[in-house]
Amino acid sequence: MAPPDIRIFNTMQQTKVPLVPLNPGKLGIYVCGPTVYSWVHIGNARTFTSFDTIVRYLRFRGFEVRYVRNYTDVDDKIIKAANEAKEDPIALAAHFIREFEADTKALHLLPPDVSPKVSDTIPEIVAIIEKLIARGAAYAAGGDVYFEVRKYPGYLKLSKKNLDDLVSGAGERELVLDSKKDPMDFALWKAAKPGEPSWDSPWGKGRPGWHIECSAMSAKYLGETFDLHGGGLDLIFPHHENEIAQSEAASGKTLCNCWMHGGFLDLEGAKMSKSLGNVVRLRDALQQVDAEALRFFFLTTHYRQALSFSDKQLADAETRMEYFYETLRKVDERVEGKDFGQGALHGDPERFLRELDEAMADDFNFPGALGALSGLFNELNQLTDKPPVKDKAMVGRTLLALRDIAKKASLALGLFEDKPSDWLLRRRDRQVARLGIDVAKVDAGIAARQEARVAKNFQEADRIRAELKAMRVEIMDTPAGTSWKVLSELPTT
Ligand SMILES: [Zn+2]
């Protein structure tokens, strides 16, 4: 059966459109990356996880994806932070790029194919500004260069805003003209000020404005027209609107075929942003919860919808991941290294992969894909615990087929990359620390119970089991010996 056609919600058209690659089998995607003046927070981490999952799925579907995500390492906020810390702005940015890379690696985000920096793209930025001036879309004033928004007829086509409304709704500060012709004209190049990084240009020493970098970088690494452009919802205006104006006025071509925007992350009701100060750093969240559990939590909501973050949601996500990994561990124990021969399977294992594919093809419906996973794991559990058929070889073959599908699903979603026993032990360590469980006492209890069992004192063995349970410790007797786990802090939903 042919795989389902992929349809994506395009912000430009406000509707789902079929994905038609510019070059068959290939896709170019540009995602606006972080401004590196501080640690990455979980709101940004959610956006980058969404696009990471989208890229993984597109590759799973066989596309050769070129994924570009930039670093804004020259910016007002970086200069301000560097001046406050009495540091060089480029060095401060380089430091936070390293921190960003460490944190996103911990979250199992794939590194993009290209991660350009503003400070490495100055010649391309200057070239595109020169082109805009030559085409009459931009003008130099003093040492600054501005984009003249009224000269570009397509301005605001993405956000569907109205230029005159923007002017009449603007605050006094935004209406200060300085050397601009129109209050809505925006800076492509800013004249050097003391204490700021600057580069030579035809307009004197200066640095780029914020928006021009993405126009220069996307053209450099993906061409003047490419397939997909992503970012957070807050970037639609002015950032993406300005990117479109700059790129399209310079090239005369459509910048990209499809605009994708990720929803906000709410911190129990309040939008999280660095400027409001109510932020949770990704690094702190990863101290508290497993990385895949955080990914799983992000995927519980469609990428375009708002997602509410709370400690309870995180704990629930980790409990859910425990269920998945516990299932995989149990299935591995049952089937690993065994040969169940050739023959018929029970049911239709492939259907879970088709369900996942259909959900993801429909504008990357993450919760739908997780629903398919739930069905898959339900089936794995049922076949392991209460197989509905007597034919053991058929059950074994079906378990192997389902296990294989779980592996394919993990490629498409970036989950279950760990060895189940490793993941479960790490989870146990975190719970032990969180609940203050005395491990020496647990080990002593298990040893005493073993002695009681050898002495056939089953009453004493049961008493010890109950005593451990009161400490939230559940013991499990397996062919390999007695192991233990911490009882979930929350009921599995
Ligand atoms: Zn951008």
Side-chain angles (χ1 to χ4, degrees):
M1 209 165 68
D5 291 336
I6 299 173
R7 289 158 55 82
I8 306 177
F9 186 90
N10 184 350
T11 309
M12 186 68 84
Q13 281 153 276
Q14 290 291 302
T15 187
K16 288 180 198 172
V17 296
L19 174 65
V20 183
L22 284 163
N23 300 300
K26 294 185 178 179
L27 287 170
I29 177 167
Y30 185 91
V31 174
C32 293
T35 301
V36 277
Y37 69 102
S38 181
W39 281 273
V40 57
H41 65 67
I42 51 166
N44 288 142
R46 184 216 175 180
T47 303
F48 298 135
T49 303
S50 293
F51 288 105
D52 177 87
T53 310
I54 286 165
V55 167
R56 282 172 189 263
Y57 173 70
L58 293 170
R59 286 186 180 144
F60 165 81
R61 283 293 300 266
F63 289 103
E64 191 186 307
V65 181
R66 184 162 164 86
Y67 174 24
V68 181
R69 190 191 63 208
N70 69 304
Y71 287 116
T72 300
D73 67 341
V74 179
D75 176 84
D76 293 345
K77 289 185 197 132
I78 297 170
I79 293 166
K80 187 166 171 271
N83 287 344
E84 280 167 12
K86 299 203 184 344
E87 258 192 74
D88 171 59
I90 300 287
L92 178 115
H95 165 73
F96 282 113
I97 287 173
R98 284 193 299 275
E99 301 292 358
F100 179 90
E101 287 180 348
D103 287 351
T104 52
K105 188 177 174 209
L107 187 59
H108 300 206
L109 295 195
L110 301 167
D113 298 293
V114 194
S115 306
K117 298 195 284 275
V118 178
S119 58
D120 292 337
T121 318
I122 302 292
E124 290 82 359
I125 290 172
V126 167
I128 192 171
I129 297 174
E130 286 185 300
K131 201 166 173 185
L132 286 169
I133 294 175
R135 291 191 152 215
Y139 55 93
D144 303 326
V145 182
Y146 294 101
F147 187 91
E148 190 164 1
V149 291
R150 299 211 183 251
K151 287 267 183 75
Y152 174 67
Y155 196 55
L156 305 177
K157 66 182 175 181
L158 180 70
S159 60
K160 326 294 178 206
K161 289 179 187 291
N162 175 287
L163 198 51
D164 293 320
D165 289 350
L166 281 177
V167 176
S168 58
E172 238 168 83
R173 204 171 60 93
E174 295 165 87
L175 289 176
V176 174
L177 278 176
D178 294 328
S179 43
K180 291 193 261 184
K181 291 184 186 170
D182 186 285
M184 288 300 131
D185 290 351
F186 58 89
L188 301 173
W189 189 264
K190 297 177 175 187
K193 293 196 191 96
E196 293 189 359
S198 64
W199 291 264
D200 289 326
S201 83
W203 318 285
K205 275 198 173 297
R207 64 181 169 98
W210 170 29
H211 316 292
I212 193 69
E213 64 185 71
C214 288
S215 290
M217 291 168 177
S218 61
K220 182 174 179 182
Y221 295 103
L222 295 172
E224 287 174 330
T225 300
F226 54 93
D227 298 287
L228 303 167
H229 193 312
L233 210 52
D234 51 334
L235 295 183
I236 294 178
F237 180 82
H239 183 57
H240 288 164
E241 205 68 80
N242 292 358
E243 267 187 51
I244 294 169
Q246 297 158 160
S247 294
E248 298 192 356
S251 71
K253 295 176 192 158
T254 302
L255 173 58
C256 87
N257 279 352
C258 186
W259 286 89
M260 305 173 66
H261 291 98
F264 291 125
L265 184 78
D266 296 337
L267 206 54
E268 285 177 324
K271 189 203 154 199
M272 187 166 58
S273 73
K274 279 187 238 183
S275 44
L276 289 177
N278 57 339
V279 295
V280 175
R281 301 193 313 189
L282 173 58
R283 184 161 297 184
D284 295 337
L286 290 177
Q287 293 285 316
Q288 200 190 329
V289 74
D290 169 70
E292 288 194 341
L294 185 57
R295 275 189 83 99
F296 180 86
F297 163 67
F298 288 149
L299 299 182
T300 55
T301 298
H302 192 281
Y303 76 92
R304 286 191 286 114
Q305 306 298 318
L307 172 62
S308 235
F309 180 91
S310 70
D311 292 343
K312 183 180 180 307
Q313 303 272 30
L314 274 195
D316 280 348
E318 198 172 284
T319 304
R320 191 74 181 142
M321 286 306 293
E322 183 185 16
Y323 158 79
F324 290 135
Y325 269 115
E326 189 61 51
T327 304
L328 293 175
R329 189 197 56 76
K330 196 166 63 177
V331 171
D332 282 351
E333 204 173 85
R334 179 72 63 90
V335 299
E336 229 160 37
K338 292 195 186 136
D339 182 5
F340 299 99
Q342 301 289 313
L345 302 177
H346 172 69
D348 175 16
E350 285 284 331
R351 80 172 190 274
F352 299 109
L353 202 55
R354 285 199 302 275
E355 277 173 28
L356 183 143
D357 208 355
E358 267 157 30
M360 289 296 280
D362 180 16
D363 192 29
F364 313 105
N365 180 353
F366 298 159
L370 296 188
L373 269 192
S374 287
L376 170 67
F377 278 78
N378 206 2
E379 186 84 350
L380 278 167
N381 271 297
Q382 199 179 26
L383 276 176
T384 318
D385 299 339
K386 292 181 219 114
V389 281
K390 292 245 171 337
D391 184 341
K392 282 194 174 158
M394 182 194 260
V395 170
R397 282 194 299 271
T398 311
L399 282 172
L400 279 176
L402 289 166
R403 182 73 176 81
D404 198 44
I405 285 167
K407 280 189 182 142
K408 286 182 183 154
S410 73
L411 278 180
L413 298 175
L415 294 172
F416 319 127
E417 289 183 343
D418 267 318
K419 204 175 149 213
S421 52
D422 291 350
W423 191 95
L424 290 165
L425 268 185
R426 280 209 318 277
R427 152 90 167 162
R428 194 178 82 178
D429 288 346
R430 268 195 307 277
Q431 288 177 304
V432 161
R434 199 152 50 214
L435 298 167
I437 292 170
D438 184 344
V439 177
K441 219 167 150 185
V442 175
D443 289 340
I446 289 173
R449 175 173 169 269
Q450 189 53 28
E451 272 177 37
R453 272 162 39 117
V454 169
K456 302 226 185 297
N457 186 351
F458 295 114
Q459 209 179 346
E460 175 63 2
D462 286 347
R463 191 196 63 76
I464 295 170
R465 178 191 276 274
E467 195 176 87
L468 289 169
K469 198 161 187 174
M471 291 167 64
R472 311 194 65 139
V473 168
E474 186 178 353
I475 46 181
M476 299 161 296
D477 297 312
T478 72
T482 302
S483 66
W484 60 279
K485 69 172 186 175
V486 179
L487 287 165
S488 287
E489 293 137 81
L490 290 155
T492 307
T493 44

